[in-house]
Amino acid sequence: MTDWLRLLRPGDWATMLLGAAAVAVSFPLLWAGGRAERAVIRLDGRIVAEFPLAAPRRFAVQGPLGETVIEIAPGRARVLADPGPRQYCVQQGWLTRPNAIAICAPNHVSLSLSGRDPSHDSLNY
Amino acid sequence: MTASTIELRVTPADRRIARYAAAAIALGVAEAALPSPLPGVKPGLANIVVLIVLWRHGWRDAAWVALLRVFAGSLLLGQFLAPGFFLALAGALASLAALAGVARLPRRWFGPVTASVLAAFAHIAGQLLLARLWLVPHDGVFYLAPVFGLSALVFGIVNGLIAARLLKEST
């Protein structure tokens, strides 16, 4: 082991430390994939409300079947309750990534998150 | 049938480069048989040869060996002109650019490990850039950069140490 260590020159240590630091810094930055900043609520494709993902709040939308309740919390949002029969959008849980979307089709309501850079939404996957 | 009149004059330097390139190609092909957890995460053992050539014979020879390896290696694996070939070429060109800079550093302070680590980072940077511009025109490819960066760091250090060891044993 000490044999191998003797192959390293002072500058090599500096290079390795810098490289390790660069990798460590890049991890959270790039894994985050951008942050979701706003929740956009649509009824029949038209935006009915838009909130920053900052303060917790609830918002109810009146659709053809009844009331869909959206819950917003810092950094995330979800469909809390929906009158639809299969509850897909409710079971999706918290949305955290930009361009994630929960669609309550029976009630014509959708909840999507937007970040700084509008690109692919979660339906693309 | 007339005898061929084409005669290639082969210098000792050509033979030397060919020998090193053969070693690099063999390592590259052997490595292709190893399973990889993620496309792009590979040890890059052939670069050990490139480092040794850089140290012993300078950047020009190292560039020859690295590029011969990319071309001949891809021919052997049936990858020539496939996307993987262009990614390998982009990586090789980027790391050769990095090595051109490293070759100017004082050797008293910076050994093969520095060259290996910087070349490995340049390699993934070149590949990611090409992938972003051409194969996956979306910033999503950069989400994987930390993974590639980590593997470049680890394999860069390991390859650099092996190269340093081999260089030391041969002197």
Side-chain angles (χ1 to χ4, degrees):
Chain A
M1 191 63 211
T2 48
D3 249 33
W4 287 99
L5 287 182
R6 241 180 293 144
L7 296 171
L8 292 167
R9 294 167 211 183
D12 293 340
W13 286 106
T15 308
M16 290 194 301
L17 282 176
L18 275 176
V23 170
V25 166
S26 75
F27 254 86
L29 264 180
L30 291 158
W31 270 130
R35 288 233 324 261
E37 284 171 353
R38 305 180 69 74
V40 181
I41 299 151
R42 287 186 175 85
L43 175 65
D44 284 321
R46 278 174 291 108
I47 295 174
V48 290
E50 206 174 335
F51 301 109
L53 296 178
R57 69 180 301 158
R58 280 182 192 182
F59 180 78
V61 200
Q62 196 64 42
L65 294 187
E67 207 168 61
T68 298
V69 183
I70 310 286
E71 182 176 9
I72 290 164
R76 55 187 191 165
R78 69 171 168 179
V79 179
L80 189 63
D82 179 69
R86 282 172 290 274
Q87 300 284 304
Y88 288 139
C89 57
V90 179
Q91 282 169 24
Q92 230 175 309
W94 289 105
L95 306 182
T96 54
R97 298 181 70 92
N99 307 310
I101 184 164
I103 299 173
C104 305
N107 207 25
H108 301 199
V109 174
S110 77
L111 162 69
S112 60
L113 303 191
S114 64
R116 253 163 301 174
D117 156 43
S119 56
H120 297 60
D121 59 38
S122 53
L123 296 182
N124 284 70
Y125 293 101
Chain B
M1 194 171 144
T2 50
S4 169
T5 52
I6 297 172
E7 199 183 317
L8 291 172
R9 228 162 296 148
V10 182
T11 65
D14 292 339
R15 291 184 199 281
R16 192 174 68 210
I17 288 170
R19 220 172 278 138
Y20 281 121
I25 292 162
L27 282 173
V29 170
E31 187 180 86
L34 293 175
S36 155
L38 191 72
V41 176
K42 283 201 282 182
L45 296 173
N47 298 319
I48 297 169
V49 179
V50 177
L51 285 172
I52 291 173
V53 176
L54 177 75
W55 233 250
R56 286 186 186 158
H57 307 292
W59 184 83
R60 203 182 145 271
D61 284 24
W64 266 112
V65 171
L67 293 175
L68 278 172
R69 181 196 93 72
V70 170
F71 280 89
S74 70
L75 280 172
L76 283 174
L77 294 169
Q79 287 276 314
F80 186 56
L81 297 185
F85 162 77
F86 289 105
L87 288 174
L89 187 61
L93 290 173
S95 59
L96 282 171
L99 288 178
V102 170
R104 287 181 170 73
L105 292 171
R107 289 205 175 172
R108 228 167 78 80
W109 295 96
F110 296 95
V113 174
T114 293
S116 180
V117 169
L118 292 181
F121 277 124
H123 196 276
I124 52 142
Q127 291 196 323
L128 277 176
L129 210 61
L130 180 69
R132 170 66 182 82
L133 292 175
W134 177 43
L135 294 172
V136 190
H138 181 252
D139 285 336
V141 284
F142 294 122
Y143 296 163
L144 288 172
V147 181
F148 292 137
L150 184 66
S151 91
L153 180 69
V154 171
F155 291 127
I157 292 172
V158 170
N159 289 350
L161 282 170
I162 294 172
R165 178 92 179 225
L166 290 172
L167 282 164
K168 199 174 158 219
E169 277 174 10
S170 62
T171 47

